[in-house]
Each structure stands twice: as C-alpha cells, then as structure tokens.
Amino acid sequence: MTPASATPPAPTAAAVPQRSGVIRITELRLPLDHAPEALRPAALARLGLKDAQVQDIEVFKRAYDARKKTAIVLTYTLDCVLAPGVDAAAVLARLQGDPQIRPAPDTTYRFVGHAPADFYTSGEKLRPVVVGFGPCGILAALVLAQMGLRPIVLERGKTVRQRTKDTWGLWRQKVLNPESNVQFGEGGAGTFSDGKLYSQISDPRHLTRKVLTEFVKAGAPEEILFVAKPHIGTFRLVSMVEKIREDIEALGGEIRFEQQVTDLHIETDTHGVRHLRGVTLASGEQIRTDHVILALGHSARDSFTMAHERGVQMEAKPFSIGYRIEHPQSVIDAARFGPNAKHPLLGAADYKLVHHAKNGRSVYSFCMCPGGTVVAATSEPNRVVTNGMSQYSRAERNANAGIVVGISPEDYRRDPGGSGPVNPLDGMAFQRVWESRAYELGGGDYIAPGQLVGDFIKRQKGPAKGFGSVMPSYKPGVHLTNLSEKGRESLPTYALEAIREALPAFERQIRGFSMADAVLTGVETRTSSPLRMNRGRDYQSLNTRGLYPAGEGAGYAGGIMSAGVDGIEVAEALARSLLGQAA
C-alpha cells in the first residue's frame, strides 16, 4: 500500500468567550431607505450613551422585515465597541431589562490542536484521507491542513473547470458523463446551485462564521459576513473553490481528482472491534490510512452500496420528492415586496412555504432560487433529475423552487408491510424508479417532463398546446405531458395529490403562485441523502473505528453551510484522535 498518514483530540470547546468591551444590539429596526448615517445615533440611543463613549459600530447582521409590504424595515444586529474607559459591565447592568442588548460573543475560530513539524518524519503515522471534495470535504480538508495534518483528498470527479465543461455537455448537447456532472467533481453539488450560505442549524460555536470567513478569503464578497441570507452563485463558487484548493495544497495537503474509492479495508481485532486500515481506488492503488472522512455527497450511490457491503452501519432515512416550479421573478417580487420590489437592498425575492395536506403528507418549497434556472442534475444514464441554480446577480427572468413531499422509509421499502428494518439501500432504488419514469415521460435525451400548473391542478388529461408567459429554463428541454396519467404517473399518487392540494394553498401566501401557466418540471429526487451512516459522539462510525461519515451523503447536513460546518467538526474529531488528545 502507498503510505497515507495522522492528531491529539484537543479539548472540547467550552462556552464561547465574549469580546471584551463590546456590546451586541439585536433587532435594531430602521426604515428601508434610511440614511447610512442614521445607524450610529440609533445605536447610541438604544445604549443610552454619548457619541464619544462608543469607538466603533460593526454591522454583524442585516436582514429585512417585509411583513408589511408598504413599510418594509431593515433589522440590524450591531456590535458596539466601547471607547477605552467605558465600563461595559455597568452599561449592561443598566440595560439588563432589554433582552436585545447583551455582551458580544467572540466568534474567532480556535483550532483544537496542531501537528508539530516532525509529525510524519518517522513514517509511523499515516496521513488522513478525505473522500469527496464538496463543501463538507473542502472544509474538512482545509481545517486539517491548517492544523498541519496534510490530508490526502480523493475526488472521483474532475477539477471544477473541467467539470463545468462536462456539465454544459449534458445541458447543451445531451451528453452525460457519469463521473463529471452536477453531482460529482470539485465543489460538489453546491457548485451548481444558488450558493446559499445560510442554515438553521444550531451553531453555539459560531462555526458558520469560520466557513464565511474562509469563503471571503477565497474571493467571496464581504457582504456574506453580514447579510441575513448570504449567497454566492455558481460563477463565483468556481473561482473560490480553486483558491481554497490552492490553500490546502500550500499547507501540505494533496488533492487527487478522478480517483474513485471502490473499497474500504477493515480489520477486526481480537475484541471484535472493526478498524479502518485503508482504501482501494478504481485504478487498483491502495492507500494505507487509519483515518478516513467519508464526505460522499447525497448521490454517490455506488459508494453507499460498497460501504453497505463492507458492513458499515447505516439506516434508511426520510427524504423528499417532487417537482421544480417556475414563475416570473416579477410575480414573486410583487407578492413579497409590493411597491418596494426591485429595491437594491432587497434584491430578488425568495419564499419559504409549507402545507400539511389532508392525506397526512407535508408539502414544502425546497432550495428556492430567485432569478435562476432549473438544471439537469442526473448522475446516471437514462434518468432525469432536476435541481435549481442561480448566479450571484439572480437576474434571470424566472424564479424556481422545488415543491416536494416528505416520504418515510416505510413508503419506499421494497417489501411493503414487511417486518424488521428497511434496507438502507431501498431509498436509492425508489429514487431510481421515478428518475427513470421522468426520462421516459420526457421522451429521452434527458428532456424533462413538464406540465402547466393550471392543467396539473385541473387534472388535465392531455398536454397543453404550448407554454404561456413562463418559458421553462431547464436544458436540454421540457416536454409538456400529463404528469398524473394513470399507469404512467411521474410520482407516487399520494405525492401528486398532496402537491395538487398545496399549490392553491400557497396562492394564499404568494399571489400568483398557482397561476395557470406556471410550469412544473419533473422530477426532484435528490433533496437529501436517502440513508444515514450512523456515527457516535466522536463522529466515528458506530461500528468501524477510524471511519468518519460526514456531510450530506452521510445524512448529517443539508446545504453548503451545514455541510461545511459538519466538515469542520468531523475534522476536529479526527484531529483529536490523530494527535492523541482527550475528547
């Protein structure tokens, strides 16, 4: 085997420290068109301090409240740096009745440890391996490299620019490269997305700040540090990913493309404990290592199968399926912002919707892409998968989002009504059924089946004569058909019924949502991983020591930000093990 290589578990982070002499104000509200100079006096008034008592005011977060469309307000979180000699404790004591004034936390990232310069000199320690170079793998590899652990990254796809050419080959020429597409390659699936950089995960250690800071260092606009819903867009993500790759390599990391892991080497000790001892690549090369981060992404179906065959503990989990819906962005802007639509601080409007259908299913909007396009996202031949993407400008004519229905493992088990646990691979088989059906309904060549919303709601049997005010953006193209034709349904009946009920309900929240010539394009099946690779509090597989399942593919993240944070936490756990620290 080719030698690979090795960390002590740094102490678990205690409570996040506070910034000395800095007070945070939350929910400071000002009119949408307030003058820039209005911010400081508003903050001083909230604190009851004079101008000379505050040295600086930093905008930590800026959001908007659009519940009243004619009077949209901006809401700020501000960090107020007090002047020398001003007693922060006294100010906080005086304002202790105000829940929106508190000490500002110190969000500086602190590494759990660092390898000494001679860490690998003896040859006894093996370098850690990161499998996958999407958001999770990127952040994991970066943090490991910053700690001096020189990770080896194995990515089955190509570099981001080569991968982009292959992806356009599907979109424009109907030619799929199964190893280089929206799902596989440098940057992961998040590269061809809206580039959303926000999440609802609990983040007591402010690890999202670490992710954002690294992205800004790599070329992202600085506004992502303070806007409430930061995004980057595909074009900017490409150059950022390349810059982070250069940083990892400069720190001693190694990134190898077109290197698919096809096997895991697992030894069982005399106590019956399984230990990871290396990986095998498709080329036949073997790499020795005792620490592997498995950051596969949610579409690495062959890798899931391999891990399952090697006995890695995993379980089936819920996910969602549905369609992409497209409207004119102007309709969404007007519904959300009213007369303030197109205001430069608001940008293209988004939405988040949910409906609980009578049949017990939940229907919700997923991965909403303002001013974006619907993209072909399959990674397997003769299947159609849709996803959404936006550029940083969000300037395309249409808005799109997934309209998806939650399903459970019991819905997709291959032996309905069977006893015992669902086979963890059953969800993949379920996804494939509907992706293959979509390919069939579209007529082949990766053309997607679609239907006008009005026809779908009315159960129109035949396809419409043509598109109306909404021209679908999906390439290679959309074929109008009946998505609910008996015997050739594009989704399970319960999903069709739930979506048909939800669309008029969403109209009550977003005027124009159920407009007759909005377009549904099928199918969206890759909302999240269909399985979870179970791990413990030390982030290692429950039954395979040295294996660290991570990110979306392992069932522990959903989106760029949560995947990046998971990558950091897993890298920290691996570092503690490799450097020999106590957890």
Side-chain angles (χ1 to χ4, degrees):
M1 288 187 175
T2 305
S5 297
T7 241
T12 304
V16 176
Q18 300 170 1
R19 292 179 65 190
S20 178
V22 184
I23 294 177
R24 173 163 292 181
I25 303 174
T26 58
E27 286 295 314
L28 190 145
R29 299 164 66 86
L30 290 173
L32 177 61
D33 286 313
H34 73 81
E37 56 270 20
L39 198 59
R40 184 176 178 88
L44 292 172
R46 282 287 296 276
L47 294 175
L49 296 176
K50 297 178 181 179
D51 186 74
Q53 294 177 292
V54 176
Q55 182 174 291
D56 192 20
I57 294 178
E58 304 165 357
V59 177
F60 184 80
K61 192 72 66 182
R62 186 191 70 208
Y64 60 78
D65 182 345
R67 286 175 292 183
K68 190 173 182 181
K69 301 179 184 63
T70 57
I72 295 176
V73 297
L74 297 178
T75 61
Y76 288 92
T77 297
L78 303 176
D79 285 347
C80 303
V81 183
L82 302 184
V86 178
D87 187 347
V91 175
L92 290 167
R94 174 168 52 82
L95 298 171
Q96 62 181 339
D98 189 339
Q100 295 168 346
I101 296 177
R102 60 183 186 272
D106 183 355
T107 61
T108 304
Y109 180 73
R110 292 168 176 81
F111 294 100
V112 300
H114 200 281
D118 62 351
F119 193 64
Y120 295 119
T121 303
S122 68
E124 295 179 0
K125 296 183 176 66
L126 301 173
R127 293 164 63 187
V129 168
V130 178
V131 181
F133 203 52
C136 179
I138 288 172
L139 267 298
L142 178 62
V143 169
L144 288 173
Q146 289 171 337
M147 289 188 283
L149 292 171
R150 298 172 48 209
I152 296 173
V153 179
L154 304 172
E155 167 55 53
R156 68 187 294 171
K158 298 181 181 180
T159 64
V160 68
R161 292 191 187 271
Q162 293 175 310
R163 171 196 181 197
T164 299
K165 293 178 182 178
D166 291 335
T167 300
W168 279 104
L170 172 61
W171 295 352
R172 291 177 172 174
Q173 300 171 349
K174 306 173 185 176
V175 176
L176 171 69
N177 182 336
E179 295 299 329
S180 183
N181 45 62
V182 166
Q183 307 297 346
F184 299 142
E186 183 177 26
T191 303
F192 298 97
S193 71
D194 185 49
K196 295 178 182 67
L197 298 178
Y198 50 93
S199 173
Q200 294 181 321
I201 60 172
S202 174
D203 187 26
R205 295 177 54 211
H206 301 278
L207 294 180
T208 54
R209 196 73 174 176
K210 166 69 171 174
V211 177
L212 293 174
T213 300
E214 294 295 346
F215 284 175
V216 169
K217 285 167 56 179
E222 288 196 15
E223 71 173 32
I224 68 171
L225 292 172
F226 65 84
V227 294
K229 295 181 178 181
H231 75 283
I232 299 177
T234 292
F235 287 168
R236 294 200 178 201
L237 277 167
V238 168
S239 59
M240 285 169 45
V241 166
E242 290 178 320
K243 176 61 169 61
I244 296 175
R245 183 217 308 168
E246 293 171 1
D247 290 345
I248 294 170
E249 291 173 333
L251 291 166
E254 178 184 350
I255 301 171
R256 299 170 57 178
F257 295 100
E258 299 181 71
Q259 302 285 314
Q260 183 180 359
V261 172
T262 56
D263 202 1
L264 302 174
H265 298 281
I266 299 171
E267 293 180 356
T268 303
D269 65 21
T270 56
H271 301 289
V273 179
R274 291 158 43 99
H275 298 268
L276 185 74
R277 296 301 185 216
V279 298
T280 297
L281 307 183
S283 64
E285 179 184 358
Q286 296 182 331
I287 298 177
R288 291 177 56 213
T289 182
D290 296 327
H291 298 82
V292 171
I293 294 176
L294 215 54
L296 298 172
H298 58 39
S299 294
R301 292 167 171 170
D302 47 5
S303 298
F304 294 155
T305 301
M306 177 271 292
H308 185 255
E309 291 174 348
R310 293 295 167 267
V312 175
Q313 185 170 323
M314 58 183 71
E315 63 183 0
K317 63 175 277 294
F319 59 96
S320 300
I321 56 174
Y323 305 116
R324 279 271 147 186
I325 191 168
E326 288 189 270
H327 302 88
Q329 181 63 46
S330 58
V331 169
I332 307 302
D333 290 343
R336 293 281 283 114
F337 298 147
N340 288 295
K342 299 191 181 302
H343 191 286
L345 286 184
L346 299 176
D350 62 5
Y351 56 78
K352 187 175 182 180
L353 303 168
V354 64
H355 174 72
H356 301 290
K358 294 176 182 177
N359 65 3
R361 304 285 170 170
S362 291
V363 184
Y364 63 97
S365 59
F366 169 79
C367 186
M368 195 272 158
C369 297
T373 55
V374 179
V375 299
T378 187
S379 55
E380 296 181 334
N382 302 328
R383 295 192 170 100
V384 165
V385 180
T386 63
N387 195 13
M389 183 182 86
S390 296
Q391 300 301 343
Y392 176 70
S393 63
R394 290 177 166 176
E396 298 295 331
R397 184 168 181 242
N398 291 352
N400 77 80
I403 298 298
V404 297
V405 179
I407 61 172
S408 72
E410 286 303 317
D411 291 318
Y412 60 72
R413 70 183 307 154
R414 277 181 274 194
D415 57 335
S419 60
V422 180
N423 186 310
L425 304 183
D426 282 357
M428 296 179 349
F430 182 85
Q431 290 172 325
R432 283 171 166 151
V433 166
W434 303 109
E435 293 167 10
S436 297
R437 177 67 58 80
Y439 186 87
E440 173 192 341
L441 292 175
D445 278 343
Y446 301 101
I447 292 170
Q451 189 169 19
L452 302 188
V453 165
D455 291 342
F456 179 81
I457 293 174
K458 295 176 182 176
R459 305 173 187 269
Q460 185 75 32
K461 293 183 178 180
K465 294 180 179 179
F467 299 105
S469 64
V470 180
M471 290 301 297
S473 57
Y474 174 95
K475 302 296 181 186
V478 174
H479 170 65
L480 284 175
T481 186
N482 178 3
L483 295 175
S484 307
E485 181 180 350
K486 189 172 179 59
R488 299 179 75 234
E489 294 90 348
S490 57
L491 291 176
T493 302
Y494 56 77
L496 294 169
E497 292 304 317
I499 293 173
R500 185 172 285 116
E501 178 186 320
L503 293 173
F506 291 157
E507 173 78 23
R508 293 192 285 272
Q509 300 177 63
I510 302 286
R511 185 174 182 180
F513 200 88
S514 62
M515 60 187 289
D517 49 358
V519 178
L520 291 171
T521 304
V523 288
E524 175 113 14
T525 52
R526 312 278 183 95
T527 54
S528 65
S529 179
L531 56 82
R532 176 175 291 108
M533 297 183 183
N534 307 99
R535 69 189 188 192
R537 295 183 64 183
D538 61 0
Y539 293 89
Q540 297 185 60
S541 165
L542 285 181
N543 72 338
T544 308
R545 305 300 297 168
L547 183 65
Y548 295 78
E552 281 208 50
Y556 292 98
I560 295 173
M561 182 57 72
S562 60
V565 167
D566 198 58
I568 294 172
E569 293 182 321
V570 170
E572 291 175 337
L574 187 155
R576 293 187 179 105
S577 172
L578 194 52
L579 294 172
Q581 297 172 352

